[in-house]
């Protein structure tokens, strides 16, 4: 029976597991992407996402809470400065786990875990703009803009034909 088993113990005792997750979280924050096993990546995701959420609000209390988990002042500084600035408008889901195959030595499932906002390949190198979600008047505005856009090229085409004659 699995009563009270809410997270993966990773075949480690409590102190070792907490230290390992803290070290992996600091490496993820510093390098923005790390390779590890799938089980450790899933455990790290549960460990680091609440800390990133805490870092959105830069208060002394939140810094002390995060430092109690990470135990690395450079990791905490980087988290509150760079990472929090990029994920400030994201409501959650700060990490992505990508499976990369099996390890050669013991055939363990390997994965790459990365911070979502720091991957320029998926984001196209630019930040996407949020669009207003309004149902009223949306089509009328779009039709007005397309009408002005289509009329402008026609006028320029007429001017070029007159200039050519």
């Amino acid at each position: 029976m699995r009563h009270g088993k809410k997270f993966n113990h990773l075949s480690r005792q409590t102190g070792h597991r907490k230290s390992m997750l803290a070290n992996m979280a600091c490496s993820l924050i510093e390098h923005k992407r790390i390779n590890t096993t799938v089980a450790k990546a899933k455990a790290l995701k549960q460990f680091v996402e609440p800390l990133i959420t805490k870092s959105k609000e830069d208060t002394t209390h939140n810094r002390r809470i995060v430092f109690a988990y990470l135990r690395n002042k450079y990791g905490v500084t980087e988290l509150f400065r760079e990472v929090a600035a990029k994920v400030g408008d994201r409501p959650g889901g700060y990490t992505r786990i990508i499976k990369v195959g099996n390890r050669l030595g013991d055939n363990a499932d390997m994965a790459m875990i990365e911070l979502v906002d720091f991957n320029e390949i998926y984001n196209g190198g630019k930040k996407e703009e949020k669009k207003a979600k309004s149902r009223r008047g949306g089509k009328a505005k779009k039709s007005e803009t397309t009408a002005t856009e289509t009329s402008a090229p026609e006028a320029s085409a007429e001017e070029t034909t007159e200039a050519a004659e």
Side-chain angles (χ1 to χ4, degrees):
M1 287 189 272
R2 58 175 306 278
H3 295 303
K5 186 173 190 258
K6 295 190 181 212
F7 56 91
N8 192 351
H9 295 286
L10 300 172
S11 298
R12 285 163 175 80
Q13 293 179 350
T14 305
H16 184 192
R17 185 175 56 249
K18 287 181 179 178
S19 295
M20 182 190 64
L21 289 173
N23 289 334
M24 288 174 64
C26 289
S27 296
L28 178 65
I29 291 166
E30 180 184 349
H31 300 292
K32 314 302 187 251
R33 171 183 307 161
I34 59 172
N35 290 324
T36 183
T37 62
V38 173
K40 286 181 188 174
K42 288 179 180 179
L44 179 62
K45 183 172 187 156
Q46 289 179 346
F47 181 83
V48 79
E49 292 220 357
L51 301 180
I52 296 173
T53 302
K54 288 257 186 233
S55 72
K56 287 177 166 184
E57 186 180 350
D58 191 4
T59 62
T60 306
H61 182 62
N62 284 347
R63 279 183 179 263
R64 287 179 177 167
I65 289 173
V66 170
F67 182 75
Y69 283 95
L70 292 182
R71 296 176 279 187
N72 183 346
K73 65 181 180 179
Y74 302 111
V76 172
T77 303
E78 176 114 359
L79 176 65
F80 276 86
R81 284 193 184 153
E82 295 180 20
V83 177
K86 277 222 172 181
V87 301
D89 56 343
R90 182 177 286 274
Y94 312 110
T95 57
R96 175 186 297 128
I97 297 175
I98 301 171
K99 295 181 181 177
V100 293
N102 295 341
R103 189 161 50 198
L104 290 177
D106 59 354
N107 207 31
D109 291 332
M110 297 298 288
M112 177 179 65
I113 182 168
E114 64 183 1
L115 295 174
V116 172
D117 291 321
F118 288 90
N119 188 339
E120 287 80 23
I121 296 171
Y122 285 141
N123 295 343
K126 60 188 172 205
K127 190 169 182 174
E128 298 176 10
E129 297 178 13
K130 287 191 171 183
K131 297 178 183 175
K133 295 182 181 179
S134 175
R135 291 185 176 202
R136 287 194 260 170
K139 292 186 179 182
K141 290 180 183 177
K142 288 182 184 176
S143 64
E144 291 174 2
T145 57
T146 54
T148 57
E149 291 172 359
T150 55
S151 63
E154 293 173 333
S156 64
E158 292 172 359
E159 293 171 3
T160 55
T161 55
E162 292 174 12
E165 292 174 5

